Amino acid sequence: MCWDRRKSFVYVAFASSLMVASFVALGPVLAQGAQSQSGGDGSGGSENPNSRGAGAKQPKGNGSRTSQAAPKPPIAGPLPFIAPFMTNLPGGGSFSVDTRGITLQTADNTAKFRIGGRLQLDGSVADLRPPSLGLALTDNFLIRRAYIESYLTLYDSIEAAFQYDFASTTQPINDAVLAYRGLKNSVFSVGNFKEPFGLNQLESDNITTFAERALTNAFAPARNFGGAIGTYGDKWTATAGVYGGNANTGIEDNGVAGTARVTYAPMLTKDQLLHFGVAGSYRSLDPGRTDFSISSRPENNSFMRNLVSTGTLRNAKDVGRFEFETIYQFGSYRIQGEYAFADVGGVTPTTAMTGRSDRFFQSGYVEGAWVINGNGRPYRIAPNYGSELAVLTGVEIDDSQRISRGGYGVFEVAARYSTIDLQDGATLGGKEDDITAGINWYPDRNIRVVADYVHARANPAASSLKVNGKVESDAFIGRLQFNW
């Protein structure tokens, strides 16, 4: 099943109308209900704006109904040049525009509907050697992401989320989820959302250390349609789910997968974090399909070519994935890394070869970062929905540091080494090593400026490039990001 543009816009209109109608219909009823309840932050992948340090307390998420005062007036607009706004609604409740976007909520906070978004504008230059390969980039300027996001929270127990990316022509629907967190320390989710695999993948693209994720991300299944259960304690999490295909390309078109992730943080204090995690996934594939492959660009989405690629793994019948992850953060210094492998079963190399065999591929990265004039990234145990448990959130900025308050913002410097090996048997997918250095500037709330340098070296490169020897590239990437 393929989605064309008309179907996608119909989907957006339907989902948005459904959520608005739900708020309009349920708001007055809920306003007459029992005592008020605090609402969540409305996003499975966004940071808790009230958290501080690695050991920040997490929302209980147990559905208990406790009294809560009326919402406080917003103190900051969604962007420095937009003033905050709040007004009372005629039937009770409030309408506000602030750093969380546009929010409608009932007087007792039992129902809340929020609209947010993100915009990422990229510019890059790059070369590609040998010159016979031609141009390196498809475009020097790219609208990387242009999201509109909507979240409906009821009684702090039910969360409905929908994200649509107008910049994507192939997978515009991102999260489309219905979740229930009414049981203590548990999150039940169904819809299109990320499988619980890959620390770098599970981090929101709003807050990743670099403009693009590491080469290891080629092994992450990312978003697919399914159901998952997540549970957690003060220092541990466990998530498991069953998934089909992606909602954009066909729920039934990619076999069935079971994916699980477990994490534990033996050190979790205000100033120090030590985190370990393991994840595994097994997906059955239809051997009659011939479109399964693994490939990666050199950490630049504008790059024209995949320097490493398995090509089509003909008649692949299944794929097993495993991932190990770790984070250590002390104060404003952080180091994290992942190792992942994929085992693809039953591959027939070409139409002329009938022998079937497994293929084993692997990848890993390590990155270090320093928030020069700020705190380390907060650690979030539980999301409002989905599988993004036990991840770091975004760099925080104090009011005094905001340029709109006379400050200079917050600066973060980072470096990363990542590698991927897609060579096994008759599959000559190549080996690649990338070195990335970058700086992030957070001038104000909801704004980030990214500058990255990436050196990529594939030796050997994918056989599909038809190059004898190594292929190299140097690229500079800049990003201006707004989110609200």
Side-chain angles (χ1 to χ4, degrees):
M1 178 179 67
C2 296
W3 287 78
D4 60 25
R5 272 298 189 187
R6 289 174 296 179
K7 290 181 180 179
S8 298
F9 281 115
V10 169
Y11 197 111
V12 174
F14 173 76
S16 301
S17 300
L18 179 61
M19 299 187 81
V20 173
S22 298
F23 177 83
V24 172
L26 293 175
V29 175
L30 296 175
Q32 298 172 6
Q35 297 173 334
S36 63
Q37 164 77 18
S38 63
D41 67 5
S43 174
S46 66
E47 59 271 27
N48 179 355
N50 298 316
S51 64
R52 289 284 178 186
K57 294 292 184 181
Q58 303 301 323
K60 295 296 183 183
N62 59 6
S64 61
R65 300 182 184 180
T66 58
S67 61
Q68 176 176 329
K72 296 179 180 179
I75 61 173
L79 297 171
F81 45 83
I82 300 178
F85 175 80
M86 182 175 184
T87 186
N88 293 326
L89 298 175
S94 63
F95 171 86
S96 62
V97 181
D98 57 14
T99 56
R100 302 293 294 150
I102 300 171
T103 304
L104 288 162
Q105 63 188 76
T106 56
D108 59 2
N109 287 352
T110 53
K112 179 168 64 174
F113 178 69
R114 183 173 72 84
I115 299 175
R118 68 190 72 174
L119 178 63
Q120 298 175 356
L121 306 175
D122 288 8
S124 61
V125 293
D127 69 348
L128 185 60
R129 305 182 295 275
S132 59
L133 290 174
L135 296 176
L137 304 179
T138 57
D139 203 335
N140 295 105
F141 175 79
L142 175 70
I143 301 177
R144 182 65 176 92
R145 295 179 179 92
Y147 277 24
I148 185 169
E149 311 171 9
S150 55
Y151 306 95
L152 175 65
T153 306
L154 302 176
Y155 283 114
D156 198 30
S157 297
I158 298 174
E159 188 86 15
F162 183 77
Q163 300 173 339
Y164 190 90
D165 184 5
F166 289 92
S168 175
T169 58
T170 57
Q171 295 194 358
I173 300 168
N174 285 272
D175 288 348
V177 189
L178 181 64
Y180 176 72
R181 55 176 189 270
L183 298 181
K184 185 176 181 179
N185 292 359
S186 298
V187 182
F188 301 83
S189 304
V190 62
N192 199 73
F193 59 98
K194 293 178 181 178
E195 296 187 30
F197 188 99
L199 175 65
N200 203 198
Q201 171 59 222
L202 293 175
E203 294 171 338
S204 168
D205 55 60
N206 272 335
I207 59 91
T208 51
T209 307
F210 301 94
E212 299 296 338
R213 295 180 170 94
L215 294 174
T216 312
N217 198 56
F219 292 162
R223 288 178 172 89
N224 284 301
F225 194 94
I229 301 173
T231 185
Y232 54 92
D234 290 338
K235 294 185 176 182
W236 63 271
T237 73
T239 315
V242 177
Y243 297 83
N246 187 276
N248 296 275
T249 55
I251 296 171
E252 73 284 0
D253 287 349
N254 197 31
V256 177
T259 306
R261 175 174 177 257
V262 177
T263 72
Y264 178 62
M267 296 182 185
L268 182 53
T269 67
K270 180 180 179 181
D271 298 316
Q272 192 167 203
L273 164 68
L274 178 62
H275 159 108
F276 296 104
V278 292
S281 177
Y282 174 82
R283 178 176 289 274
S284 64
L285 301 170
D286 180 358
R289 296 180 61 87
T290 58
D291 58 355
F292 184 80
S293 65
I294 300 174
S295 62
S296 182
R297 297 170 180 171
E299 299 176 13
N300 183 345
N301 200 64
S302 293
F303 216 84
M304 185 176 295
R305 297 172 181 269
N306 295 315
L307 299 191
V308 289
S309 175
T310 63
T312 298
L313 296 172
R314 296 178 55 84
N315 300 322
K317 63 179 182 180
D318 55 39
V319 54
R321 299 176 172 98
F322 178 84
E323 176 258 358
F324 174 78
E325 63 192 49
T326 186
I327 307 170
Y328 178 69
Q329 181 171 260
F330 182 80
S332 59
Y333 299 92
R334 171 176 53 88
I335 185 169
Q336 74 178 58
E338 292 182 66
Y339 167 75
F341 68 78
D343 187 85
V344 185
V347 178
T348 303
T350 66
T351 54
M353 300 177 67
T354 58
R356 301 170 69 91
S357 62
D358 289 359
R359 296 288 183 269
F360 181 86
F361 310 114
Q362 57 186 331
S363 180
Y365 77 87
V366 60
E367 72 180 39
W370 174 35
V371 183
I372 298 174
N373 59 331
N375 299 313
R377 294 182 175 227
Y379 181 71
R380 186 191 65 207
I381 290 287
N384 281 343
Y385 68 84
S387 61
E388 297 158 48
L389 285 76
V391 296
L392 293 171
T393 62
V395 171
E396 295 184 327
I397 176 170
D398 291 333
D399 277 344
S400 61
Q401 296 174 306
R402 300 165 58 191
I403 58 172
S404 59
R405 300 289 193 271
Y408 299 97
V410 174
F411 293 86
E412 178 184 36
V413 293
R416 178 174 68 198
Y417 168 74
S418 61
T419 184
I420 188 170
D421 182 354
L422 300 183
Q423 296 273 116
D424 190 30
T427 300
L428 305 178
K431 299 179 181 179
E432 182 178 343
D433 299 289
D434 286 4
I435 297 174
T436 305
I439 182 168
N440 296 313
W441 177 40
Y442 306 86
D444 215 297
R445 300 273 171 79
N446 299 9
I447 301 177
R448 181 170 73 143
V449 179
V450 181
D452 290 347
Y453 161 75
V454 182
H455 174 74
R457 181 175 184 267
N459 189 20
S463 59
S464 58
L465 292 180
K466 295 180 173 57
V467 174
N468 292 324
K470 65 184 179 181
V471 174
E472 292 186 291
S473 172
D474 293 284
F476 292 90
I477 308 168
R479 171 173 294 172
L480 177 60
Q481 173 180 300
F482 305 95
N483 63 278
W484 54 91

